[in-house]
Structure formats: C-alpha cells, structure tokens
Amino acid sequence: MKKVLVLCTGNSCRSQIAHGYLNQLAAGKAEIFSAGVETHGLNPGAIATMLEDGIDISGNTSNNVDEYTHIDFDYVITVCDNALERCPVFPGAVRQLHQNFPDPSKFKGASEEENKAEFRRVRNLIKEYLQNFVDNNL
C-alpha cells in the first residue's frame, strides 16, 4: 500500500481537508498522513466545511512533520508555498508534488457567510486536485 503525506504550514486547515478527502478517495490504495512544519491545532472552519461534504475530520490531530521522518513515503504533497520551502528531505524514492492553495483561515470577509464561502471554495479546489492525483497516481 502506498504512503502519502500531505504537508502544510500548521496542519490545521488545508492539509486536514486534504487528509479527509484522501482517506475517502484513496481508500484501500494508500495510507494517508498529514502534518505541518508547525502545529496550530485543528481549525473549526475546516471541520465544519468538511462535514458539509459528509466527511468528519474532527478526530484528526495536528501533527508536526518531524513525527514522520522515519516513514518511507511514496508521495509528499505540499499544499502551500511555505511548506514547500520548509519541507524536510525524506529518504527513499519519494515523489514530491506541490500545489499552493489559499489559506481560508486567513480570509477576512465582510460577513461570516463570506468566510464560510471561502472555506468551501478552497475545499472544492483541494478535492478536485486530489481526485486528479488519485486517478493518475494510485
């Protein structure tokens, strides 16, 4: 079974959303991990937006990438430029992929509904990217 790590800055939002989708999209094909180059705790907006799409990530934890340096990953997917710049080197034949997604937790809309809409927009971008990843790599 393939091992996939999704990496972002704080493992609170984008990588958690990606982790949730990959658990669903790559079920039986890959073991999924997520981490941050820092840990910021799970973002409530990420939890809520994923629940709207039928995926519960509320039991996930915010992990630091250093916890996984002993794992031979097949893929490391960085989902923000900061994580790409700070990503450690992993041993073995790991394939690194990168797609910079906006951080919905940094969006400051004029209303709560605008903030929720940004979470949904980023969630959908991540979902589409990962569906393509799974279809072409796993």
Side-chain angles (χ1 to χ4, degrees):
M1 185 170 301
K2 303 281 185 190
K3 289 185 173 74
V4 179
L5 172 66
V6 183
L7 184 64
C8 74
T9 300
N11 194 218
S12 66
C13 215
R14 294 164 288 186
S15 58
Q16 292 288 352
I17 290 169
H19 190 157
Y21 278 126
L22 282 172
N23 274 341
Q24 181 184 66
L25 298 169
K29 299 176 186 176
E31 186 176 0
I32 310 304
F33 301 82
S34 67
V37 293
E38 305 164 8
T39 55
H40 296 166
L42 198 55
N43 184 291
I47 295 169
T49 197
M50 290 301 285
L51 278 174
E52 290 177 357
D53 204 23
I55 298 174
D56 184 2
I57 61 169
S58 64
N60 290 11
T61 58
S62 183
N63 300 90
N64 189 286
V65 68
D66 293 339
E67 298 173 44
Y68 299 126
T69 55
H70 64 284
I71 297 175
D72 290 328
F73 289 106
D74 297 284
Y75 295 93
V76 173
I77 303 171
T78 51
V79 293
C80 70
D81 290 342
N82 184 45
L84 176 64
E85 292 168 9
R86 296 173 59 189
C87 185
V89 175
F90 287 91
V94 64
R95 182 163 176 217
Q96 188 167 341
L97 304 171
H98 175 69
Q99 180 63 48
N100 185 52
F101 294 101
D103 186 348
S105 70
K106 302 282 190 232
F107 181 80
K108 301 298 178 215
S111 68
E112 186 60 31
E113 192 50 46
E114 286 182 4
N115 293 335
K116 288 179 182 180
E118 179 65 3
F119 266 94
R120 289 181 195 114
R121 184 183 78 81
V122 173
R123 176 197 68 197
N124 293 341
L125 291 170
I126 293 170
K127 182 178 185 179
E128 181 180 344
Y129 175 81
L130 293 175
Q131 183 64 65
N132 186 52
F133 165 76
V134 170
D135 290 347
N136 292 301
N137 296 285
L138 300 179

